[in-house]
């Protein structure tokens, strides 16, 4: 997968994506990253990329001529995404969808956002990582990319390790335990030490149902609805 990120802070990348599984995958060429400085496409010696909002209001807005020039020079196909709090919420289904793309171009906004005409002209998809506001889109882009990259072929050592994770099949993940068997008076559930694979699987499923019902009843409804289809 080829990833291009348009930002006024290219030095932020790869950030934490340069470590652990995503970092190793980057070094091995399972994905590539190019951070493009939007200021390189400014029209003045100061590298100005923003201006005051039409109609008044606080803050500044990223200019369409500068950002548009950056997009035209660097976008050559595939999905083009703008990290935005008003975008479609990022989900595991969306992550899976994006992991099948050969190329992603991600716009990281700053200030009060970007001129709407850019979004319209390039048919930009808006994605949000949650109902809160960050200082910029760079952090959101890295979180989304982390979720996407780990699903690329060969990134995870065990391809089956994603099948029981939270949000797979609309259930939160069951509790996990490891050694020591007893810690500060707390003991690993006996069934997990039984060696009986079906009993363990049944216990894990019950626990997943219980924790999903308690914490995310909206997901449990989706799970039950999927079983009725």
């Amino acid at each position: 997968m080829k990833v291009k990120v348009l930002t006024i802070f290219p030095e932020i990348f790869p950030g934490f994506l340069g470590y652990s599984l995503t970092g190793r995958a980057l070094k091995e060429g399972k994905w590539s990253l190019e951070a493009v400085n939007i200021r390189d496409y400014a029209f003045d010696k100061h590298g100005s990329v923003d201006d005051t909002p039409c109609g008044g209001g606080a803050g500044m807005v990223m200019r369409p001529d500068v950002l548009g020039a950056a997009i035209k020079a660097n976008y050559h196909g595939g999905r083009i995404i703008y990290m935005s709090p008003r975008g479609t919420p990022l989900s595991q289904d969306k992550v899976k969808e994006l992991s099948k793309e050969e190329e992603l171009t991600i716009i990281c906004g700053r200030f009060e956002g970007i001129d709407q005409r850019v979004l319209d002209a390039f048919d930009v998809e808006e994605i949000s990582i949650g109902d809160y506001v960050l200082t910029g889109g760079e952090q959101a882009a890295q979180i989304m990319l982390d979720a996407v990259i780990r699903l690329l072929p060969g990134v995870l050592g065990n391809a089956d390790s994603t099948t029981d994770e939270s949000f797979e099949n609309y259930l939160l993940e069951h509790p996990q335990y490891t050694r020591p068997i007893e810690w500060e008076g707390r003991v690993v559930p006996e069934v997990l030490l039984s060696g009986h694979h079906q009993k363990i699987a049944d216990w894990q499923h019950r626990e997943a149902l219980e924790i999903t019902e308690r914490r995310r009843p909206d997901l449990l409804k989706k799970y039950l609805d999927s079983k009725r289809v």
Side-chain angles (χ1 to χ4, degrees):
M1 172 183 284
K2 295 180 179 179
V3 177
K4 284 190 177 183
V5 179
L6 277 58
T7 170
I8 61 171
F9 295 113
E11 62 273 16
I12 289 178
F13 293 87
F16 63 75
L17 297 174
Y19 297 87
S20 188
L21 293 173
T22 53
R24 184 172 65 196
L26 182 60
K27 292 177 182 176
E28 293 174 350
K30 292 183 173 65
W31 68 290
S32 65
L33 173 66
E34 181 182 356
V36 176
N37 193 339
I38 298 171
R39 292 193 188 278
D40 290 343
Y41 298 88
F43 301 102
D44 62 14
K45 63 180 180 180
H46 303 294
S48 302
V49 298
D50 59 331
D51 209 329
T52 55
C54 293
M60 305 288 278
V61 177
M62 199 168 285
R63 294 170 56 109
D65 49 355
V66 177
L67 181 55
I71 294 173
K72 289 177 181 178
N74 292 279
Y75 173 59
H76 305 298
R79 300 280 274 272
I80 180 167
I81 296 167
Y82 170 47
M83 307 308 301
S84 165
R86 74 177 190 182
T88 302
L90 184 66
S91 66
Q92 192 64 17
D93 285 341
K94 174 61 72 172
V95 167
K96 290 179 183 177
E97 181 184 318
L98 294 176
S99 71
K100 295 178 173 61
E101 295 289 332
E102 293 184 3
E103 187 167 346
L104 295 178
T105 300
I106 304 171
I107 303 169
C108 298
R110 284 270 162 174
F111 320 117
E112 292 302 308
I114 66 178
D115 192 294
Q116 181 65 38
R117 290 170 291 179
V118 174
L119 302 176
D120 296 339
F122 295 95
D123 194 23
V124 177
E125 178 180 3
E126 297 184 62
I127 293 180
S128 168
I129 64 166
D131 295 340
Y132 47 88
V133 180
L134 300 172
T135 55
E138 289 80 10
Q139 302 93 317
Q142 289 188 16
I143 288 172
M144 182 182 72
L145 286 171
D146 182 88
V148 170
I149 293 161
R150 63 192 301 276
L151 296 185
L152 298 179
V155 173
L156 292 178
N158 181 0
D160 294 332
S161 62
T162 62
T163 58
D164 291 327
E165 292 181 326
S166 294
F167 309 114
E168 291 293 333
N169 303 317
Y170 304 114
L171 290 180
L172 298 180
E173 188 177 15
H174 55 77
Q176 297 282 8
Y177 298 88
T178 187
R179 290 181 288 272
I181 302 306
E182 182 177 349
W183 173 73
E184 296 189 355
R186 300 173 185 270
V187 181
V188 173
E190 187 175 348
V191 65
L192 299 180
L193 309 175
S194 68
H196 194 297
H197 298 302
Q198 188 57 53
K199 287 183 179 179
I200 292 173
D202 290 344
W203 179 89
Q204 291 174 335
H205 184 65
R206 287 195 303 272
E207 289 291 316
L209 285 171
E210 190 277 332
I211 199 169
T212 304
E213 180 179 24
R214 180 158 38 91
R215 298 184 181 181
R216 292 292 303 274
D218 57 317
L219 287 179
L220 181 64
K221 183 179 184 303
K222 290 182 179 180
Y223 169 77
L224 296 175
D225 289 344
S226 71
K227 294 300 180 181
R228 298 188 185 103
V229 176

